[in-house]
């Protein structure tokens, strides 16, 4: 006789929320039997997840805003790799972008969406929320969750002061619009961004 588990029991064994388990069931990542309004999950599925065939498969995503931050990007990736190694995660892909967090057409971000939608991974690991997107993080998180994928953020954005967060948002907006007006690598763009930085620093 096949042993069946409640979603709460499976969530406890896997160390995730019951809501995550239900999302995985609905997206087809976990096979389950529906009994009334509840799901029952076969033991074979629980063992499959415990073996790391889905749960511990992660994508690393790192981003910086400009090419002169390439060293920062490298350090960011290295930190994420070490973090995933310490957690026992299996990194299936490292995706990077050099672009504004306001840019919705990032090559790496599009690649990340395809991986999430394919059902090949169970988690995306980032350093800060704004590495993934400057605004609207909650919408992306909800979308990823709808495909059974969790976003794991290493550092809490609440560590940033409201003033620092506001300055970062303002610079992101200025950088994005200056790039559209003058071109991503133009001197006018660099001068404008530097002028805004200096003005904010003086305040």
């Amino acid at each position: 006789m096949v042993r069946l588990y409640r979603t709460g029991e499976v969530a406890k064994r896997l160390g995730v929320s019951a809501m995550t388990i239900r999302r995985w069931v609905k997206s087809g990542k976990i096979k389950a039997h529906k009994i009334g309004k509840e799901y029952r999950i076969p033991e074979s599925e629980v063992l499959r997840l415990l073996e790391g065939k889905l749960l511990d498969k992660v994508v690393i995503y790192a981003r910086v805003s400009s090419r002169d931050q390439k060293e920062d990007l490298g350090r960011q990736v290295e930190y994420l790799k070490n973090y995933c190694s310490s957690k026992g995660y299996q990194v299936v892909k490292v995706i990077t972008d050099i672009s504004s967090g306001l840019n919705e057409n990032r090559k790496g971000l599009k690649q990340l969406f395809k991986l999430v939608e394919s059902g090949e991974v169970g988690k995306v690991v980032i350093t800060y929320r704004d590495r993934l997107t400057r605004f609207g993080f909650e919408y992306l998180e909800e979308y990823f969750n709808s495909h059974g994928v969790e976003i794991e953020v290493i550092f809490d954005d609440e560590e940033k002061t409201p003033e620092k967060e506001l300055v970062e948002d303002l610079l992101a907006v200025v950088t994005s619009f200056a790039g559209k007006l003058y071109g991503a690598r133009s001197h006018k763009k660099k001068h404008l961004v530097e002028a805004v930085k200096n003005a904010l620093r003086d305040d």
Side-chain angles (χ1 to χ4, degrees):
M1 181 139 178
V2 178
R3 183 173 181 182
L4 301 175
Y5 292 87
R6 294 175 180 270
T7 53
E9 294 174 315
V10 176
K12 191 173 182 180
R13 290 191 66 179
L14 297 178
V16 298
S17 69
M19 185 178 291
T20 294
I21 297 298
R22 286 193 289 272
R23 281 173 177 148
W24 285 353
V25 169
K26 289 178 181 177
S27 67
K29 288 189 176 182
I30 300 179
K31 294 176 183 177
H33 304 285
K34 194 165 187 180
I35 301 175
K37 293 183 178 181
E38 296 186 359
Y39 291 105
R40 294 291 186 272
I41 300 164
E43 188 171 27
S44 59
E45 285 295 282
V46 178
L47 294 174
R48 180 176 70 84
L49 292 170
L50 286 172
E51 287 172 5
K53 291 181 180 177
L54 173 63
L55 182 65
D56 292 335
K57 286 187 177 181
V58 307
V59 179
I60 283 174
Y61 180 80
R63 181 189 65 80
V64 291
S65 298
S66 59
R67 294 188 178 279
D68 57 6
Q69 295 176 305
K70 272 191 173 181
E71 288 187 11
D72 292 337
L73 184 62
R75 284 192 290 268
Q76 197 179 139
V77 169
E78 195 61 32
Y79 188 91
L80 286 163
K81 284 181 177 178
N82 291 334
Y83 174 85
C84 289
S85 177
S86 70
K87 290 281 188 177
Y89 296 156
Q90 179 187 349
V91 178
V92 298
K93 189 79 174 176
V94 176
I95 298 176
T96 61
D97 268 320
I98 300 177
S99 182
S100 166
L102 294 173
N103 183 3
E104 298 172 353
N105 293 314
R106 281 172 270 157
K107 183 178 179 181
L109 185 63
K110 288 181 177 179
Q111 190 178 0
L112 179 61
F113 269 82
K114 286 181 181 178
L115 273 175
V116 168
E117 291 163 359
S118 71
E120 296 176 27
V121 296
K123 190 172 292 189
V124 176
V125 183
I126 56 178
T127 50
Y128 288 97
R129 288 156 56 113
D130 63 11
R131 295 303 85 195
L132 192 58
T133 181
R134 179 59 68 175
F135 300 112
F137 177 86
E138 290 77 11
Y139 296 110
L140 275 185
E141 186 174 38
E142 183 65 29
Y143 180 71
F144 282 21
N145 286 344
S146 71
H147 287 278
V149 178
E150 289 190 52
I151 301 176
E152 185 166 331
V153 185
I154 298 177
F155 299 113
D156 191 348
D157 283 337
E158 290 182 3
E159 294 174 1
K160 297 180 182 180
T161 64
E163 292 80 8
K164 184 176 180 181
E165 195 166 349
L166 182 61
V167 167
E168 288 180 355
D169 287 346
L170 180 57
L171 282 174
V173 171
V174 170
T175 302
S176 177
F177 279 98
K180 290 177 180 178
L181 282 172
Y182 305 120
R185 300 185 186 180
S186 73
H187 291 296
K188 285 185 178 180
K189 174 207 166 187
K190 290 179 181 178
H191 288 320
L192 178 58
V193 173
E194 282 302 317
V196 172
K197 283 182 180 178
N198 292 333
L200 291 170
R201 199 176 293 124
D202 291 340
D203 288 343

